[in-house]
Amino acid sequence: KEIEKLQRLKTLIASNGYIREFSLELCNLQNLEHLDISSNKIKELPKEIEKLQNFIHQATFVPRNKLVV
């Protein structure tokens, strides 16, 4: 899959869109440090997000979504 080619990716900005579902494939990007998926239609995050060991900005990457806690 295409996302597997992005293993060195450190920053991903996919904000202000119509994303409804968090892709599990993103959880395999081990070098990802910054992820901005704010202002989308995501309702939940998968537990696999814990695999992102280098993740720095955990508190600011999902504002203005429809998350169910």
Side-chain angles (χ1 to χ4, degrees):
K1 296 185 180 187
E2 296 297 315
I3 202 142
E4 293 173 359
K5 297 178 183 178
L6 304 173
Q7 289 303 311
R8 299 176 114 186
L9 186 70
K10 290 189 174 195
T11 300
L12 177 61
I13 299 172
S15 60
N16 298 311
Y18 295 95
I19 299 172
R20 295 181 182 276
E21 191 172 299
F22 188 90
S23 174
L24 287 176
E25 295 173 19
L26 292 174
C27 296
N28 294 322
L29 298 177
Q30 294 302 309
N31 291 311
L32 193 63
E33 296 176 356
H34 308 280
L35 175 63
D36 182 355
I37 53 172
S38 61
S39 298
N40 279 290
K41 299 181 184 298
I42 297 171
K43 293 183 180 179
E44 62 183 317
L45 296 174
K47 289 189 176 221
E48 289 83 358
I49 199 167
E50 295 171 357
K51 290 183 185 178
L52 298 174
Q53 298 171 353
N54 294 321
F55 209 47
I56 295 172
H57 294 281
Q58 295 182 29
T60 60
F61 75 116
V62 290
R64 294 182 302 281
N65 277 290
K66 297 180 179 182
L67 290 176
V68 176
V69 181

